Amino acid sequence: MATSGAGEGGSSLNGIVSEIEQKQFTDLPAELLEYILCFPVLKHVDICNVSCSCKRLHDVCHGRGKVWGHQYKLRWPRLQKHYRQNECCDWLKEYRTRHTVGLQIRRTVVSISQRFFTEVPCVGQVLGDSFAEIESLGAPEHFCEDELLSILNSDRRKSLTLKYYAKKILYFLRQKNILRSLKMFLEQPAEQQLALEGALLVDQYCNPLADVSLDGISSQLEEITDKIKKMLRIKNPSHPSLRVTQGDCFAVDDFDLQRQVVVTLNAVLYEQLQYKGNECDYYNPLNSYIHQVLLRRTGIPISLSVLYMTLARKLGVQLEPVNFPNHFLLRWCQQQRGSGDIYDFAYIDAFGKGKQLTAKECEYLIGHQVTADYYNAISTTEVLLRMVGNLLNIGKRGISSLREGNEKSYQLLRDSLDLYLTINPDNVQYLLLQARLYFHLGIWPEKVLDILQHIQALDPSQHGAVGYLVQHTLEHIQHKKQPVEPEVKRRSAPEHLELQYSVGLIMKHKRSGYNCAIYGWDPKCTMSQEWITTMRVHQLSSGANQPFYNVLVQDGTCRYAAQENLEPHSAPLEIAHPEVGRYFSEFHDSHYVANEELQTRYPEDMAETLGTVRDLYHRLMPSSVQQESPNGPEGPSQENQDSQENQGSQENQGSQENQGSQENQDTMPT
């Protein structure tokens, strides 16, 4: 019996085991299969293979299911903010589209490198055909931006050229979107146009790579408003402004209650928070950007006035902007609303810590009399024109200065012209300035012709200036049809035997002490005699009759240095220069690796650079380079270098640097 019982029990157990063994992976519940297929170790290729193995798994991996949703979120986490929580979506379709856009974006970025290196065209001009193909995919714009950000966030020392052009494209795309937003803003009724929103759009357009948003700025202003309310509550616990919540629109009618708000605003803004007018660095463009005014707590009259006016409005006091010459002001009505008498207003100087002035005292402020028209309130559009006009003048000021004239000044001038002509598209003076600027920089000649045609239609009396520019622009277009091969410089040529250094080396200037990277050279100084005399080159021991090197300097300038003034850096570090990616593909411990375009121009230099690096660092100092911190005292990361380039599309750089020895014409001397 025992044996029989054991036999029956064994048979039953074997049956269960047999049944379990017959179960397959695909017999598991769908929820459990989805859970397993969402393991982080599985990539999209694995999911594709699994879904092709059988119908059961194909059904589990359907486009709208959790598996592809997980894959999409895992690969592109930044895109989640564009979807509602628990949104039902065809994730497989989204994945395919985003993947296709990413491939096209990378092809576009790679393809423009050679054109930028030789022709130096405008980003918008280059991207026209490429983005027409991308737009035909019907993909949302944030797919493009996400891929560009993926490129920029990759290994900081590698793919420098790819990052360089990815940043250009991102700069262009964001500006295009901001300009679209500005046009929509200007189409609103005048009473709905808030000066803060308009000023923020100006800020965003000039700093498209910065993280500046209306929500972020509004949050900071709410914090200041809360501080004002806290102090106001001590003075008058029943003040009506204390009952206002965020977003409410109201006005305090009682004049004494308004005065309490203004006095408290001044106390918090200028005494507690220490805001002030930037008298020491008045012409710094950062003074005009709202996010920088809040960050640095300083600005110029118009930017501080926008801030002051916005805070007062939140607390129920209506102030009006006044386009006073040389010093932007606000006016505060002391009588019945609607008064037209300039003496019925107090004029607030936000630059001067909120000081209240009479009409006569305003004239003392600028040192001369003005007509009553200058005391009138102006619209938000006029505020923006004044703000952009300030930036435009700062750009022109920087370009005209030999010391400061650089890439950032050109970019600021271009950006401010774009903004001004968006607000006032028929201003002939600035249209002509824009055409001349594009002509001078040698970029986008087709657009120059369009601008000139518009000028001619608006003001036929400009036919002289227009005709001159049309003629030379057409010559430029014709010249482009006959491209000239770049000059190739070989170190082995007899005339180059005196060269001691090569492209990619990190150098130190013996006299000035700056660190720099070599990106080009000439066997002799090729600058004009006037430049040679001005820079006192004849005082050098070898004068102009020695090799000169094009160098990228850590302060962001490009210089032309004599060989006798340079020496290899004892502890080479990355150079914080926005143009590094234009010439180099990566930083390799102690030197830069020339990209394909630069190697074409200097085909024998990289071998020489490697030999020099081996002799200088790997033999004499085998550990110094390897132990160097990646973020040394003079070597910020590439991402940090790039953040200094908020204004910084480098399309203009190339217009100053033609092929071969001509690339020295507008660089700073040593």
Side-chain angles (χ1 to χ4, degrees):
M1 290 293 293
T3 305
S4 174
E8 290 177 1
S11 176
S12 175
L13 182 60
N14 290 337
I16 294 173
V17 172
S18 176
E19 184 179 348
I20 293 175
E21 289 176 346
Q22 291 174 4
K23 290 283 187 180
Q24 298 182 8
F25 176 70
T26 53
D27 293 331
L28 294 173
E31 295 80 0
L32 186 54
L33 288 173
E34 286 180 333
Y35 179 80
I36 294 171
L37 293 174
C38 286
F39 276 23
V41 294
L42 298 177
K43 305 304 181 185
H44 71 282
V45 175
D46 301 317
I47 302 303
C48 289
N49 292 333
V50 167
S51 64
C52 293
S53 62
C54 68
K55 185 178 186 305
R56 169 68 168 156
L57 292 177
H58 182 271
D59 292 340
V60 172
C61 299
H62 65 90
R64 294 183 177 275
K66 292 182 180 180
V67 177
W68 278 110
H70 173 77
Q71 283 294 321
Y72 186 86
K73 295 170 185 177
L74 190 66
R75 184 165 181 186
W76 298 296
R78 280 190 300 265
L79 294 178
Q80 297 315 301
K81 62 184 179 182
H82 299 286
Y83 300 92
R84 296 187 300 274
Q85 190 172 8
N86 299 323
E87 179 177 356
C88 182
C89 180
D90 189 339
W91 294 111
L92 178 56
K93 182 180 179 182
E94 292 287 288
Y95 194 103
R96 285 171 175 166
T97 304
R98 172 61 182 82
H99 181 70
T100 303
V101 168
L103 293 176
Q104 182 60 43
I105 287 288
R106 286 183 178 266
R107 282 196 293 266
T108 299
V109 176
V110 171
S111 68
I112 65 175
S113 178
Q114 186 173 5
R115 284 193 63 187
F116 259 98
F117 200 87
T118 54
E119 296 181 24
V120 197
C122 180
V123 171
Q125 176 187 6
V126 170
L127 297 183
D129 296 336
S130 299
F131 270 85
E133 182 177 346
I134 293 174
E135 289 171 357
S136 68
L137 299 173
E141 290 185 359
H142 55 259
F143 280 13
C144 300
E145 179 165 319
D146 186 67
E147 183 62 30
L148 293 169
L149 288 172
S150 297
I151 294 172
L152 293 175
N153 292 332
S154 59
D155 189 334
R156 69 180 184 85
R157 290 189 171 192
K158 297 183 181 297
S159 305
L160 301 183
T161 300
L162 196 66
K163 293 177 183 176
Y164 176 79
Y165 294 108
K167 178 172 289 186
K168 282 180 171 292
I169 298 173
L170 184 60
Y171 195 101
F172 169 77
L173 289 180
R174 287 188 174 178
Q175 280 196 328
K176 187 177 70 170
N177 292 333
I178 295 165
L179 217 54
R180 187 186 305 135
S181 298
L182 177 60
K183 291 176 181 177
M184 293 172 61
F185 174 83
L186 296 171
E187 290 172 357
Q188 297 177 357
E191 62 274 11
Q192 295 181 17
Q193 297 176 0
L194 299 180
L196 177 69
E197 292 184 23
L200 182 63
L201 287 168
V202 171
D203 184 347
Q204 290 174 325
Y205 190 81
C206 293
N207 303 283
L209 301 180
D211 184 15
V212 182
S213 67
L214 181 58
D215 289 342
I217 297 298
S218 298
S219 177
Q220 294 180 68
L221 292 180
E222 281 303 318
E223 291 180 7
I224 299 176
T225 304
D226 289 342
K227 293 180 185 295
I228 298 171
K229 286 182 178 180
K230 183 178 180 180
M231 184 177 290
L232 187 60
R233 185 174 288 108
I234 298 173
K235 296 181 178 180
N236 183 358
S238 61
H239 197 287
S241 296
L242 300 177
R243 298 191 294 271
V244 180
T245 58
Q246 184 175 355
D248 287 353
C249 184
F250 84 112
V252 174
D253 293 324
D254 184 84
F255 180 72
D256 288 334
L257 294 175
Q258 288 186 29
R259 181 174 294 280
Q260 290 177 11
V261 170
V262 172
V263 170
T264 308
L265 194 162
N266 286 344
V268 171
L269 199 63
Y270 299 110
E271 296 176 19
Q272 182 178 335
L273 298 179
Q274 295 290 302
Y275 277 77
K276 61 181 179 180
N278 194 345
E279 297 179 349
C280 299
D281 193 14
Y282 191 87
Y283 294 101
N284 189 330
L286 299 182
N287 294 326
S288 295
Y289 305 142
I290 291 298
H291 86 279
Q292 288 288 348
V293 172
L294 289 168
L295 178 66
R296 301 159 70 238
R297 301 190 181 186
T298 187
I300 53 176
I302 190 168
S303 57
L304 290 171
S305 292
V306 169
L307 176 62
Y308 193 106
M309 179 171 57
T310 302
L311 292 170
R313 183 176 181 273
K314 285 178 173 292
L315 295 163
V317 178
Q318 305 300 315
L319 304 178
E320 298 174 298
V322 177
N323 203 17
F324 208 67
N326 302 324
H327 201 103
F328 200 87
L329 297 170
L330 299 170
R331 72 178 192 178
W332 174 26
C333 187
Q334 310 288 292
Q335 303 296 330
Q336 292 296 322
R337 293 183 181 276
S339 172
D341 191 339
I342 65 173
Y343 297 102
D344 287 343
F345 293 86
Y347 298 88
I348 297 177
D349 180 12
F351 187 81
K353 298 188 175 181
K355 183 179 180 181
Q356 295 176 27
L357 307 169
T358 65
K360 196 65 180 176
E361 288 172 332
C362 292
E363 294 180 346
Y364 296 149
L365 190 67
I366 61 174
H368 61 84
Q369 293 183 333
V370 296
T371 62
D373 293 341
Y374 285 104
Y375 292 91
N376 292 337
I378 61 173
S379 67
T380 297
T381 299
E382 291 172 298
V383 172
L384 297 185
L385 285 174
R386 171 89 174 242
M387 182 173 283
V388 173
N390 288 339
L391 289 169
L392 203 151
N393 289 328
I394 293 171
K396 290 194 292 186
R397 178 187 179 93
I399 290 172
S400 63
S401 169
L402 286 177
R403 182 177 63 85
E404 299 177 355
N406 57 22
E407 182 64 29
K408 291 184 178 180
S409 296
Y410 277 109
Q411 188 61 49
L412 178 60
L413 183 56
R414 288 184 59 191
D415 291 344
S416 53
L417 279 171
D418 288 343
L419 289 167
Y420 199 100
L421 292 171
T422 298
I423 303 169
N424 185 9
D426 294 336
N427 186 297
V428 172
Q429 174 189 355
Y430 288 130
L431 281 169
L432 194 56
L433 177 59
Q434 187 180 53
R436 284 172 171 159
L437 178 64
Y438 274 58
F439 175 76
H440 170 72
L441 297 175
I443 58 176
W444 215 341
E446 293 79 10
K447 184 170 183 177
V448 173
L449 293 178
D450 290 340
I451 297 171
L452 294 173
Q453 186 177 10
H454 185 45
I455 294 172
Q456 189 64 35
L458 291 172
D459 186 2
S461 67
Q462 298 288 339
H463 66 275
V466 169
Y468 173 85
L469 288 172
V470 167
Q471 177 185 347
H472 287 80
T473 301
L474 290 173
E475 291 176 357
H476 176 62
I477 293 175
Q478 188 63 32
H479 178 72
K480 282 179 59 180
K481 295 178 180 179
Q482 303 171 346
V484 179
E485 290 296 321
E487 179 185 0
V488 176
K489 298 183 178 180
R490 298 185 181 277
R491 306 180 62 84
S492 57
E495 63 271 22
H496 299 158
L497 296 181
E498 294 183 15
L499 286 166
Q500 294 180 10
Y501 309 123
S502 53
V503 164
L505 288 177
I506 308 299
M507 311 297 289
K508 190 177 187 68
H509 196 277
K510 296 178 182 177
R511 297 185 179 183
S512 302
Y514 61 73
N515 301 334
C516 58
I518 296 175
Y519 70 96
W521 47 258
D522 294 307
K524 311 294 180 198
C525 180
T526 60
M527 301 298 270
S528 66
Q529 188 59 46
E530 180 183 2
W531 184 92
I532 291 174
T533 302
T534 302
M535 298 302 123
R536 299 190 294 275
V537 175
H538 60 279
Q539 294 182 6
L540 298 173
S541 60
S542 299
N545 192 33
Q546 63 175 308
F548 272 70
Y549 297 85
N550 302 100
V551 294
L552 302 175
V553 184
Q554 62 189 14
D555 63 3
T557 60
C558 301
R559 305 197 186 189
Y560 196 47
Q563 180 166 276
E564 68 180 71
N565 283 338
L566 294 176
E567 62 181 358
H569 202 290
S570 59
L573 300 169
E574 292 177 87
I575 300 298
H577 195 288
E579 290 291 294
V580 162
R582 183 181 176 195
Y583 302 102
F584 304 107
S585 59
E586 68 174 284
F587 181 75
H588 194 274
D589 293 334
S590 56
H591 66 283
Y592 280 101
V593 178
N595 61 20
E596 184 178 340
E597 289 72 34
L598 191 62
Q599 288 194 44
T600 299
R601 189 166 292 188
Y602 299 94
E604 300 174 351
D605 268 49
M606 281 316 300
E608 182 71 18
T609 297
L610 291 173
T612 302
V613 167
R614 184 175 59 252
D615 293 340
L616 286 176
Y617 308 118
H618 296 171
R619 291 180 182 176
L620 300 180
M621 300 180 297
S623 61
S624 62
V625 176
Q626 297 172 4
Q627 294 176 354
E628 194 68 53
S629 169
N631 288 324
E634 296 174 324
S637 69
Q638 186 67 26
E639 284 83 354
N640 293 337
Q641 298 172 23
D642 296 341
S643 66
Q644 300 168 12
E645 190 198 356
N646 284 344
Q647 296 87 350
S649 170
Q650 287 80 31
E651 296 150 13
N652 318 322
Q653 169 78 28
S655 64
Q656 303 171 9
E657 304 173 353
N658 298 327
Q659 299 168 3
S661 62
Q662 292 302 311
E663 57 195 346
N664 314 321
Q665 294 299 324
D666 289 56
T667 56
M668 291 182 64
T670 202

